[in-house]
Amino acid sequence: MEDIELRGCSLDELIEICQGIGLKRYRATQLFQWVQQKAVRSWNDMRNLGEADLRTLSSHFQFYPLELVREQRSKDGTRKYLFRLHDGETIECVLMDYERTMTRDRHTICLSTQVGCAVGCAFCATGLEGFRRNLSVGEIVGQVLDITHSVRREDPDFQVTNIVFMGMGEPLLNYDQVLKAIQLLNHEQGQKIGMRRMTISTSGVVPRIIQLAKDNPQVGLAISLHAAQDNVRNQLVPMNRRYPLASLMEACEEYIRITRRRVTFEVALTSENARNEEAKAFVRLLKGHLGYVNLIPVNPVAGTGMERPTSEQIKRFAQVLENAGISVFSREERGTDIDAACGQLRRLWESEDNEPIGPI
Ligand code: SAH
Ligand code: SF4
């Protein structure tokens, strides 16, 4: 029994477990609220549960709050967190735009779904490290809970409003855990984050894209496209060798048909792919598809050899797409002064001899 992870349990599961050990049903609801809504980090903080019940409960669950080992704050309000998991692995997540006046209370967290990643994209710090393990449901949800707990110490009303699965790892290769985490984050008696305010970003796991549309049609989808020709994309995003562009675009069409939502296509521009002929290839690939293009200048990661394009190159690239009627957003980067590209903080940390900054 003791290997049940408290933060990964649905309300129904808690009810079943509580009833199985002779506790009243409402105890399960209280427990769920302490964990998922109030984001407490210890059994002792669950004040209305009573000592005897707490003792019984704590012997039936594992409760692993994440250990904050480093927090960095950017000048633009972005905060980056490095957490240590109970087995010593570390993951990163980012709270974007935490500046009330600037953003009118839109608080987005970028979550990790795996330790490392098996896909190995050419520009990505996480990909360089290879795959270590999947995150559990409790560890995915825990990133939101522990950031919330940390920020609430200075701002008691703080509430996360949006989630993007754009941290470390490929969410659709940890599908069941990610989907259950989404249900928990959406729960009425938890963080109540709207389904339509959560977005999964993927390198293109085609069968899972279609499954996602059927299982949870309200969640947003972002495709890490980065190249519009198979020979270029094979190099940048190796997932393309398994699911080439034709099958990926077909899956996107199916997703759009089922969900009636647009897809976001992410394009990280380097000095290489920001060329005019690449832009034309994007036009050929995307014309007629219901989507937006998000242009992001690549964040150069040591060891990848990728270089940032000039702002002139980015403007020209965007112009070619716009002239063809494609909606383009040039996403400003956030937190570049704090290594906020996915996997960079972890790499820095692992290469230094660091001490934790203490519990949150
Ligand atoms: N594995 C998923 C989600 C995590 S990566 C995916 O690949 O979609 C989130 C986004 O950051 C992806 O679009 C990814 O391609 C992009 N990214 C990774 N490293 C980057 C870098 N160094 N510069 C700019 N974007 C990067
Ligand atoms: Fe994995 Fe995404 Fe990084 Fe590619 S960009 S290696 S899929 S985390």
Side-chain angles (χ1 to χ4, degrees):
M1 264 289 231
E2 289 76 18
D3 55 0
I4 301 168
E5 203 185 359
L6 181 59
R7 284 175 154 183
C9 285
S10 66
L11 180 55
D12 286 345
E13 285 164 341
L14 289 184
I15 290 172
E16 200 185 316
I17 294 166
C18 281
Q19 289 183 332
I21 56 179
L23 297 181
K24 294 257 169 17
R25 192 188 167 94
Y26 74 91
R27 287 293 190 211
T29 309
Q30 288 174 327
L31 182 58
F32 188 82
Q33 288 171 343
W34 281 118
V35 174
Q36 298 294 343
Q37 185 182 78
K38 296 173 189 141
V40 296
R41 287 172 51 83
S42 88
W43 289 102
N44 294 335
D45 291 336
M46 304 182 195
R47 286 186 301 275
N48 58 1
L49 285 181
E51 235 173 86
D53 285 356
L54 274 180
R55 249 197 318 276
T56 315
L57 283 168
S58 61
S59 67
H60 282 83
F61 294 95
Q62 287 182 339
F63 187 7
Y64 291 134
L66 310 179
E67 182 191 358
L68 179 63
V69 287
R70 188 180 270 195
E71 179 183 336
Q72 291 183 313
R73 297 186 182 191
S74 160
K75 292 192 280 290
D76 65 14
T78 303
R79 294 181 182 186
K80 179 148 183 167
Y81 300 82
L82 183 75
F83 287 115
R84 180 157 34 218
L85 311 175
H86 68 92
D87 64 353
E89 294 286 5
T90 50
I91 51 163
E92 303 177 8
C93 26
V94 179
L95 168 61
M96 284 178 276
D97 300 331
Y98 182 60
E99 289 295 339
R100 296 194 146 237
T101 46
M102 278 164 52
T103 61
R104 307 199 184 285
D105 291 351
R106 179 187 165 112
H107 302 314
T108 305
I109 292 189
C110 175
L111 292 184
S112 290
T113 55
Q114 300 181 313
V115 183
C117 181
V119 180
C121 298
F123 42 80
C124 175
T126 309
L128 282 179
E129 311 249 316
F131 175 72
R132 297 183 65 89
R133 72 170 173 86
N134 278 329
L135 295 188
S136 64
V137 179
E139 288 166 338
I140 299 172
V141 171
Q143 297 166 63
V144 178
L145 300 178
D146 287 324
I147 290 178
T148 298
H149 182 99
S150 168
V151 180
R152 277 184 188 166
R153 288 193 306 183
E154 38 190 274
D155 176 1
D157 300 327
F158 175 78
Q159 195 69 48
V160 174
T161 60
N162 295 63
I163 299 285
V164 290
F165 288 93
M166 293 188 184
M168 298 167 68
E170 169 48 62
L172 296 188
L173 292 181
N174 189 15
Y175 186 84
D176 293 342
Q177 278 76 0
V178 168
L179 239 64
K180 187 171 177 194
I182 286 173
Q183 300 291 347
L184 283 175
L185 292 168
N186 173 247
H187 199 281
E188 236 343 82
Q189 305 201 54
Q191 292 295 311
K192 277 170 74 168
I193 302 170
M195 285 291 182
R196 299 177 80 88
R197 292 170 180 261
M198 295 192 251
T199 299
I200 290 183
S201 173
T202 179
S203 56
V205 191
V206 161
R208 296 294 197 198
I209 291 173
I210 295 163
Q211 197 182 340
L212 177 69
K214 292 177 180 158
D215 289 345
N216 197 331
Q218 288 196 295
V219 171
L221 180 68
I223 302 288
S224 297
L225 200 54
H226 306 314
Q229 305 178 81
D230 279 320
N231 58 343
V232 182
R233 196 164 187 269
N234 284 344
Q235 302 306 316
L236 287 179
V237 185
M239 183 62 77
N240 198 70
R241 297 176 201 157
R242 183 103 184 257
Y243 302 110
L245 283 164
S247 65
L248 179 58
M249 296 311 290
E250 209 175 291
C252 290
E253 277 307 301
E254 183 74 354
Y255 172 90
I256 293 165
R257 197 182 58 74
I258 297 172
T259 64
R260 299 176 180 282
R261 299 194 71 185
R262 288 180 178 229
V263 172
T264 306
F265 295 102
E266 306 275 342
V267 180
L269 284 179
T270 69
S271 51
E272 284 297 305
N273 71 356
R275 298 207 179 122
N276 197 34
E277 65 260 36
E278 253 325 281
K280 286 186 186 154
F282 275 101
V283 170
R284 286 195 298 276
L285 184 74
L286 295 178
K287 217 165 164 16
H289 290 285
L290 211 54
Y292 309 92
V293 170
N294 224 336
L295 292 182
I296 326 142
V298 78
N299 207 330
V301 171
T304 61
M306 296 288 160
E307 282 173 33
R308 200 183 286 263
T310 62
S311 49
E312 200 43 49
Q313 273 182 304
I314 299 173
K315 259 190 228 142
R316 270 205 306 271
F317 191 97
Q319 199 60 56
V320 175
L321 269 60
E322 274 164 4
N323 288 348
I326 297 171
S327 320
V328 179
F329 293 92
S330 275
R331 196 164 80 189
E332 266 175 78
E333 286 170 289
R334 302 190 189 89
T336 39
D337 56 329
I338 56 165
D339 300 323
C342 90
Q344 282 189 62
L345 185 62
R346 176 188 147 100
R347 286 195 94 205
L348 198 69
W349 167 262
E350 304 272 306
S351 66
E352 290 170 7
D353 189 17
N354 284 299
E355 276 307 308
I357 61 166
I360 54 174

